[in-house]
Amino acid sequence: MPSTLKSLGVTKQYNAQSVIVHWQEIAGEEIASHAWPISIQRGIMLLAVNNSVWSHHLMMLKSGIINKINAFLNEKMVIDIRFQAGDLRKYQNCEEDRENTSILQPTKLDSEELASLWQATAAIQDNNLRKKCYYVLIKQTGINITKKKAGWQSCKHCSVLVPPGQSYCSVCSLAYKQERKYAVTKLLTEAPWLTYHESCQFVPCSPREFHTGKKRLVHKLIYALFEPGWDKLNEATLVMLMTGVKPDRINETMVNTVISKIKGRLAEKVRRKSYVSASRR
């Protein structure tokens, strides 16, 4: 079954439907009575919640829910959850609504192809889930035929079809982007003096990704200036990030000068903010 789904490029759709059907088992009865999944697209799950109190509560539990979903699927499919106010019955009853619809919907596939797709779902014991997957297979197979005729090719990382000139699908592209983001940050933490062209020798990335990662790391170190555990190594890292000076040319005087300027600017910024706030009262 998994190989069949992969060859048809519908593994993600199957997994999304599987999460919806088994939601109560994954999240537990209490959460399922207040929240129900609507869809999973591009790594984002849209979750209907019946009130704002539970939206806030589930926001606190979000990382744990994501881990449970991915553990159930045995793959990292969901990377974030977004909450939407809604009537849960509309989504909880969707399985019953589909049971009453005809299995054979109008399609460009012939009867032999339809029979083959139905047989491909034979391993699914849950009848509701099997029908849902069958609908997905019919729709996706027809779409895939059209896409291939238009020159679409498989994503370099998975079997999802992507437009001509595009290498990765949206989900894989997002995952790859996150990997580069982490790699750039790690590289600059270990070698903060590197320029963009030098860093590309180790981690290929765009100028925007490099400068965004560098800016994010600078801000993180600046805000950590006054936190417990701050040491001279962090100060040297911050100075090299901001000046590009290499380790063999940095000295204590330079570090102290730059750090003093940063602290002075922060103090001035806080003073101005306090003055504006006092003036508005």
Side-chain angles (χ1 to χ4, degrees):
M1 184 65 190
S3 59
T4 302
L5 294 172
K6 185 175 181 180
S7 66
L8 293 171
V10 294
T11 302
K12 288 182 173 63
Q13 292 92 327
Y14 168 80
N15 285 341
Q17 290 299 328
S18 184
V19 169
I20 294 173
V21 171
H22 296 95
W23 177 244
Q24 187 169 333
E25 175 187 344
I26 296 170
E29 292 185 9
E30 185 178 15
I31 290 179
S33 65
H34 295 280
W36 199 267
I38 301 173
S39 64
I40 302 176
Q41 295 182 347
R42 301 181 180 181
I44 310 297
M45 168 182 274
L46 186 60
L47 196 63
V49 186
N50 59 4
N51 61 65
S52 59
V53 175
W54 266 92
S55 291
H56 178 74
H57 179 58
L58 293 176
M59 182 69 71
M60 301 297 102
L61 303 176
K62 183 163 68 171
S63 61
I65 295 173
I66 291 174
N67 291 337
K68 286 183 178 180
I69 295 169
N70 292 335
F72 176 81
L73 297 174
N74 199 28
E75 73 164 289
K76 191 176 180 180
M77 180 178 181
V78 177
I79 59 176
D80 195 13
I81 298 176
R82 294 178 183 172
F83 304 98
Q84 174 179 301
D87 182 0
L88 301 189
R89 291 173 299 178
K90 176 182 177 182
Y91 306 106
Q92 292 171 330
N93 295 331
C94 65
E95 300 95 54
E96 298 175 4
D97 293 340
R98 289 206 178 174
E99 283 185 350
N100 298 325
T101 61
S102 174
I103 292 178
L104 296 178
Q105 299 293 335
T107 177
K108 294 181 181 179
L109 302 180
D110 58 35
S111 58
E112 184 176 340
E113 289 170 321
L114 291 172
S116 176
L117 293 179
W118 180 248
Q119 183 59 36
T121 64
I124 304 176
Q125 296 182 355
D126 187 300
N127 195 46
N128 288 340
L129 181 58
R130 184 181 183 184
K131 288 181 179 180
K132 286 191 172 203
C133 291
Y134 180 56
Y135 298 144
V136 171
L137 285 173
I138 293 174
K139 180 179 179 181
Q140 195 63 38
T141 301
I143 291 174
N144 285 348
I145 292 173
T146 303
K147 287 180 177 179
K148 287 179 179 178
K149 288 180 180 179
W152 288 47
Q153 297 180 339
S154 295
C155 165
K156 287 185 177 181
H157 190 266
C158 67
S159 58
V160 173
L161 294 175
V162 296
Q166 188 172 319
S167 300
Y168 298 96
C169 67
S170 57
V171 174
C172 292
S173 179
L174 180 60
Y176 185 50
K177 184 177 180 181
Q178 292 294 328
E179 289 177 3
R180 286 201 309 272
K181 176 181 173 181
Y182 171 79
V184 168
T185 302
K186 186 174 184 294
L187 177 64
L188 289 176
T189 301
E190 297 173 350
W193 61 88
L194 292 178
T195 64
Y196 167 67
H197 294 293
E198 290 172 335
S199 69
C200 283
Q201 297 176 22
F202 305 97
V203 180
C205 60
S206 67
R208 181 176 181 179
E209 288 172 328
F210 172 79
H211 293 297
T212 299
K214 188 172 186 177
K215 184 177 180 180
R216 188 184 303 110
L217 187 55
V218 167
H219 286 174
K220 179 182 177 181
L221 290 173
I222 287 177
Y223 285 117
L225 267 174
F226 305 99
E227 294 180 358
W230 181 264
D231 56 32
K232 290 294 182 181
L233 179 59
N234 288 335
E235 290 185 353
T237 300
L238 178 56
V239 171
M240 285 186 282
L241 275 170
M242 298 183 70
T243 64
V245 175
K246 295 184 178 181
D248 59 346
R249 300 191 62 183
I250 198 169
N251 55 61
E252 188 174 353
T253 302
M254 181 186 299
V255 171
N256 291 337
T257 301
V258 175
I259 296 300
S260 295
K261 288 182 179 179
I262 293 173
K263 289 183 176 180
R265 289 172 183 172
L266 286 175
E268 179 64 18
K269 186 176 181 180
V270 171
R271 188 190 66 79
R272 289 181 179 178
K273 188 175 181 179
S274 299
Y275 175 76
V276 172
S277 298
S279 299
R280 289 178 177 176
R281 292 175 183 173

